[in-house]
Amino acid sequence: MKKIKNLLLSLGLIPLLISPTLAADEKLAPQVVEIKVEEVKANAEDKNPQNTLDKKIEEAHEVKSKSDSKKNPSPSYSSWAVKDLSDAQFMGILPAKTFYEGRDFRKAVALEDARETYKLSKDKLEKSGLKTGGDFAFKDLSRLEVLNSISKLLNKNAFDIKDLRDSKIFLGSADEKYLKEKIPFQEMICLYKRAVNKVLQDEGKTSKGFFYEVNNKGNKIYMLGSIHVGRDWIYPIDEEILNALKSSDKLFMEIDTTNKKEAKKMEEKLYYKDGKNLKDDLGDELYARVLRIFKGFGLTEDKLIKLKPWAVYNTLSLDPRLDAPKASFGVESYFVAMSLLNKIEIGELESMEFQANLLANFDQDAYIKMIESVTSEIERNGYKNINEGVDKMLLAWSTGDRDKMKKILSRPGDEASEKFNEALLSERDKKMAQKIDAMLKKDGKKTYFILVGSAHLVPENSVTGILKNMGYEVIEK
């Protein structure tokens, strides 16, 4: 299990952002799109602001994501719905594939979509150990019927529109004509998302993460340890954490993942430029084994042979299949979406260039040993053990079980992996702590939110431990 331990540690240390992607279909992953909002006249369905939770964007705007191609036209939806639609994707009650179908979310919902949304919402609650009212038979797809279905979903004995309004699930009019209108797809999704989120928050069925607070001179620093990959069952995240982000002046991550220009530059470090290729470094036998795995996931040899060992190892570390943990469901992805939608500035403690150099300049022989190790694991067991290990980490993160995470992170690995982990931890932790120390000592009474890998916060000798040694009180939330 040493090789698995090493892979798991990597998921708590380096965001999986500077790596080539395999050919798995990403249409089931949340879509965090760049949104350009343009002023237009409100449509009739947008005149009532009942679906907005943020007064800043309740005016009726038309929002269209960029079109990737004519084959996959952009979806259309109103700006008041964006936050709830984004959350619904991460929570798994709105399949991201709908964003690739050129959907107009403002149009009346179809029967198939209503049934699927209800089922996904019901499954979400029941998998969290909550009782629902069972199945629901849709007929006219009116607002009133959808509100009735939500009462059924929440296991209410009798439908009460006042209860849904008091719960801030439904914010609209109780006018009979309005209630009998066909409900737009986006409105239905927003109502289900709010309902599911509210009951999970109320029942404490949310992800706790590894959350900390440090104060000095009127400055407040929130710190959250993340896992760089995820699944939909880790959402929603506890409201206390989300409110802390919303109250923050700036979000600091390890690297600013929204800097596409910098990411493009760093991608060049993935490839050989000196005339060598991967086969030269791995040797014929190991190269052939790695190629066999990559071909199984749709990557052609002309793409693989140009990759450097560090890029190959980074890519092999995660199962690319649709039902596996994904970076697109990771905590960074969610917090980027939250920050963009709440107009929170994003900064970085390190940089893409720093992390790319750190990975690219690590000992080549150690990389080759780690590639051989993970290749052997995949050949014997596929990604079964790797995915199970990731899910154990996600469960520890979701429940906020620091002791379990410490055990996972402290298990000994082989010589190459221990060397790798030391390179990714020791000096980086010191520098992160120094930057946080500088933020806390500045005048200005600022609130910052720090989001870094859990391995940088949970162990006693990590950033939190260094801050304690500096004299700070680090509060575990």
Side-chain angles (χ1 to χ4, degrees), residues 292-352:
R292 194 176 304 117
I293 293 171
F294 274 59
K295 278 187 172 179
F297 293 119
L299 192 72
T300 56
E301 183 172 7
D302 63 310
K303 297 288 195 304
L304 175 65
I305 201 163
K306 299 174 185 175
L307 293 175
K308 290 184 176 180
W310 75 272
V312 171
Y313 178 72
N314 211 33
T315 308
L316 275 176
S317 298
L318 266 189
D319 184 348
R321 293 174 300 180
L322 293 176
D323 59 349
K326 290 192 174 300
S328 49
F329 272 101
V331 181
E332 277 87 2
S333 293
Y334 181 76
F335 273 76
V336 165
M338 283 284 291
S339 297
L340 292 174
L341 292 171
N342 287 282
K343 299 179 182 178
I344 298 169
E345 185 182 356
I346 297 174
E348 55 188 11
L349 295 178
E350 299 177 327
S351 69
M352 287 192 190

Side-chain angles (χ1 to χ4, degrees), residues 245-258:
L245 175 68
K246 291 174 185 176
S247 72
S248 298
D249 297 296
K250 192 171 183 177
L251 167 68
F252 283 91
M253 303 193 298
E254 292 176 41
I255 57 178
D256 179 4
T257 62
T258 64

Side-chain angles (χ1 to χ4, degrees), residues 112-129:
E112 180 184 356
D113 291 321
R115 286 172 174 168
E116 182 176 24
T117 306
Y118 186 89
K119 182 183 183 304
L120 291 172
S121 300
K122 176 173 168 288
D123 290 346
K124 180 83 176 177
L125 294 178
E126 290 178 348
K127 286 176 181 176
S128 297

Side-chain angles (χ1 to χ4, degrees), residues 7-17 90 224-231 234-235 253-255 257 314 318 325-334 350 355 390 393-394 397 405 424 428 432 451-456:
L7 290 174
L8 298 181
L9 265 176
S10 297
L11 301 183
L13 292 169
I14 290 284
L16 299 173
L17 299 165
F90 279 95
L224 179 66
S226 75
I227 305 295
H228 298 311
V229 296
R231 293 185 184 272
I234 69 172
Y235 299 100
M253 303 193 298
E254 292 176 41
I255 57 178
T257 62
N314 211 33
L318 266 189
K326 290 192 174 300
S328 49
F329 272 101
V331 181
E332 277 87 2
S333 293
Y334 181 76
E350 299 177 327
Q355 288 200 354
V390 174
M393 283 187 76
L394 291 174
W397 186 86
M405 183 59 73
L424 294 183
R428 292 177 67 211
M432 286 182 188
L451 180 67
V452 295
S454 292
H456 294 297

Side-chain angles (χ1 to χ4, degrees), residues 395-409:
L395 181 60
W397 186 86
S398 180
T399 57
D401 192 332
R402 288 178 172 85
D403 289 337
K404 183 178 286 186
M405 183 59 73
K406 285 176 184 176
K407 287 180 181 178
I408 293 172
L409 297 175

